Amino acid sequence: MGVELYTYFRSSAAYRVRIALNLKRLSYGPRFIHLAKGEQHRPDYRAINPQKLVPALVDRGTVLTQSLAIIEYLNDTYPEPPLLPRRRDERAYVRALAQIIACDIHPLNNLRVLRYLEHTMGQDEAARIAWIRHWIREGFEAFEAQLERHELSGRFCFGDMPTLADICLVPQVFSARRFGCDLSDFPKIRAIDENCQTLAAFRDAAPEQQPDAE
Amino acid sequence: MGVELYTYFRSSAAYRVRIALNLKRLSYGPRFIHLAKGEQHRPDYRAINPQKLVPALVDRGTVLTQSLAIIEYLNDTYPEPPLLPRRRDERAYVRALAQIIACDIHPLNNLRVLRYLEHTMGQDEAARIAWIRHWIREGFEAFEAQLERHELSGRFCFGDMPTLADICLVPQVFSARRFGCDLSDFPKIRAIDENCQTLAAFRDAAPEQQPDAE
């Protein structure tokens, strides 16, 4: 196979790609980049990903970055099981759910942003936690409303098939719990997260299961 | 046709979809949502998009949200001209470039975030402008490095064919100029932006060309 994944146990974006690789039953060699210790700034990693973020995936010499682009690539290259529906409008629904998280929640709450809020804007821990919870709540309200409206969800965001939307949702729920978000207003999100946890592909990708977990 | 686009002249995400519609030569009926006046919070718009963001696109009764999901849908539905390369690794490259902007620059700098920084965190205008410029510079450094490394760019980010990457880049360059970012370190980005401006599809989508421009 020869797939290598540059990963950090606690990174939501790396967690997504780990789930996708597991769903596709692809084995991979993990390469650990310790974000909290700043290893993403090392020249050898910048040569892999100039954006200094994880994940990056190397498949037979091709370097891929950005978690959603990596997962679409995996889905194009290893079609079974599919991670997107066949119908165009249903694919758009799944991608839009994924992007609520990948564009409008996660980038606001990642390490580099929290550091800027602390070191450049002088925001204390309480203010940073309030910020994190605010954007998770905003995003989850929209996510839950979309699940209700479209009536396409079942055990998972799209029927009974795990897709890109679930792959993004589960790491975000993990992060929400870590930061003490109240999830009581989001029954559909909680039920889908629980259903995902019945699958080894999701469980084995969890931060605490990783060799680099602390 | 019957395509309707909920748009705001200054929204980068709506600007992307306007470019895509123009490249596909699709006519559409614009519906104006004045973000600065808060029209996205009106119940009739929340019924369209519970995320209270623009754009939203309605195609023959199907409501689509999230600009990248909308553009992928348009590309799936109206294949010519293609907005993504044919090869899987090249598609991943174009999508990753688009996501540097759509995930890691733009969501940090949009109106709702700037308002939070001002009203909840008490950050003055100078601090907010520094924040905006910081995330644009971080993202553009990675974008320029990817263009240099992959040697796939030509007149546009991918050879001589306008793709999803250019569709995301041009509105972000517009926003960078609006906020006074220094672009002198990004010669490839500036050249591609200039080349895009030679095409009516890009020019006609610009904020100042919209009926709701101020």
Side-chain angles (χ1 to χ4, degrees):
Chain A
M1 262 302 305
V3 172
E4 289 175 19
L5 178 68
Y6 290 82
T7 179
Y8 178 57
F9 73 109
R10 200 173 262 161
S11 155
S12 273
Y15 188 174
R16 290 175 201 149
V17 176
R18 294 193 303 256
I19 297 168
L21 287 163
N22 292 347
L23 285 168
K24 295 289 188 186
R25 301 181 185 279
L26 297 168
S27 63
Y28 61 93
R31 302 283 176 270
F32 303 112
I33 301 295
H34 199 299
L35 296 189
K37 289 185 186 159
E39 291 181 357
Q40 70 278 22
H41 298 288
R42 289 195 329 217
D44 58 336
Y45 188 64
R46 295 180 68 157
I48 301 284
N49 184 359
Q51 214 182 350
K52 301 167 280 173
L53 297 173
V54 294
L57 184 134
V58 184
D59 185 16
R60 291 165 289 187
T62 302
V63 179
L64 304 160
T65 58
Q66 286 287 344
S67 63
L68 298 189
I70 292 170
I71 295 167
E72 295 262 1
Y73 169 87
L74 291 173
N75 198 47
D76 286 348
T77 308
Y78 308 98
E80 294 302 326
L83 302 178
L84 288 169
R86 300 258 173 240
R87 272 180 50 180
R88 291 187 293 258
D89 56 336
E90 294 173 345
R91 263 206 303 278
Y93 160 77
V94 166
R95 283 185 173 129
L97 284 177
Q99 289 163 23
I100 289 176
I101 290 167
C103 298
D104 293 326
I105 301 179
H106 172 67
L108 291 157
N109 293 345
N110 71 10
L111 191 63
R112 63 189 192 136
V113 172
L114 299 177
R115 284 191 169 155
Y116 190 102
L117 292 175
E118 180 179 0
H119 299 300
T120 308
M121 289 188 162
Q123 298 295 310
D124 64 16
E125 193 179 358
R128 299 196 307 273
I129 299 270
W131 160 279
I132 289 169
R133 290 180 183 166
H134 176 81
W135 299 116
I136 292 175
R137 166 161 284 276
E138 283 267 308
F140 275 7
E141 282 175 354
F143 200 103
E144 185 86 8
Q146 292 285 40
L147 290 174
E148 274 172 18
R149 157 136 16 131
H150 285 269
E151 298 181 345
L152 291 169
S153 66
R155 290 185 63 218
F156 302 112
C157 291
F158 176 73
D160 292 330
M161 160 190 171
T163 63
L164 182 63
D166 306 288
I167 288 171
C168 290
L169 181 61
V170 165
Q172 190 60 64
V173 169
F174 174 88
S175 166
R177 293 215 166 97
R178 185 176 156 221
F179 290 107
C181 296
D182 174 9
L183 299 180
S184 56
D185 289 339
F186 311 119
K188 283 184 182 285
I189 287 174
R190 281 185 289 116
I192 290 170
D193 177 66
E194 251 178 57
N195 292 331
C196 289
Q197 300 300 342
T198 65
L199 301 182
F202 284 83
R203 283 198 311 273
D204 295 347
E208 66 273 16
Q209 299 301 320
Q210 304 313 302
D212 62 330
E214 281 157 7
Chain B
M1 262 301 305
V3 173
E4 289 175 19
L5 178 68
Y6 291 83
T7 178
Y8 178 57
F9 73 108
R10 201 173 261 164
S11 155
S12 273
Y15 188 175
R16 291 175 201 150
V17 176
R18 295 194 303 257
I19 297 167
L21 287 163
N22 292 347
L23 285 168
K24 295 287 186 186
R25 300 181 188 281
L26 296 168
S27 63
Y28 61 95
R31 304 283 176 272
F32 303 113
I33 301 295
H34 200 298
L35 296 189
K37 288 183 187 161
E39 292 181 356
Q40 69 278 23
H41 298 289
R42 288 195 331 215
D44 58 336
Y45 187 64
R46 292 181 71 157
I48 301 283
N49 185 0
Q51 216 183 350
K52 301 166 279 173
L53 297 172
V54 294
L57 184 133
V58 184
D59 185 15
R60 293 165 289 187
T62 300
V63 180
L64 304 161
T65 57
Q66 286 287 344
S67 63
L68 296 189
I70 292 170
I71 295 167
E72 294 262 3
Y73 169 88
L74 291 172
N75 198 47
D76 285 347
T77 309
Y78 308 99
E80 293 301 324
L83 303 178
L84 288 169
R86 299 259 173 238
R87 272 180 49 179
R88 291 187 294 257
D89 57 334
E90 293 172 347
R91 266 207 301 280
Y93 160 78
V94 166
R95 284 185 173 130
L97 284 177
Q99 289 163 23
I100 290 176
I101 290 167
C103 300
D104 294 326
I105 301 178
H106 172 66
L108 291 158
N109 292 346
N110 72 7
L111 191 62
R112 61 188 193 137
V113 172
L114 299 177
R115 283 189 170 157
Y116 190 102
L117 292 175
E118 180 179 1
H119 299 301
T120 307
M121 289 187 163
Q123 297 296 311
D124 65 15
E125 193 179 358
R128 298 195 309 273
I129 299 267
W131 161 278
I132 290 169
R133 290 180 183 166
H134 176 80
W135 299 117
I136 293 174
R137 166 161 283 276
E138 283 268 308
F140 275 7
E141 282 175 355
F143 200 102
E144 184 86 9
Q146 292 286 40
L147 291 174
E148 274 173 19
R149 157 135 18 131
H150 285 269
E151 298 181 345
L152 292 168
S153 66
R155 288 185 65 219
F156 303 112
C157 292
F158 176 74
D160 291 331
M161 160 192 172
T163 63
L164 182 63
D166 307 289
I167 288 171
C168 290
L169 182 61
V170 165
Q172 190 59 63
V173 169
F174 175 87
S175 167
R177 293 212 167 98
R178 185 176 157 223
F179 290 107
C181 296
D182 174 10
L183 299 180
S184 56
D185 289 338
F186 310 118
K188 284 184 182 283
I189 288 174
R190 283 185 286 116
I192 290 170
D193 177 67
E194 250 179 58
N195 291 332
C196 289
Q197 301 299 342
T198 65
L199 301 182
F202 284 83
R203 282 198 311 274
D204 295 347
E208 66 273 15
Q209 299 301 320
Q210 305 312 302
D212 62 330
E214 280 157 6

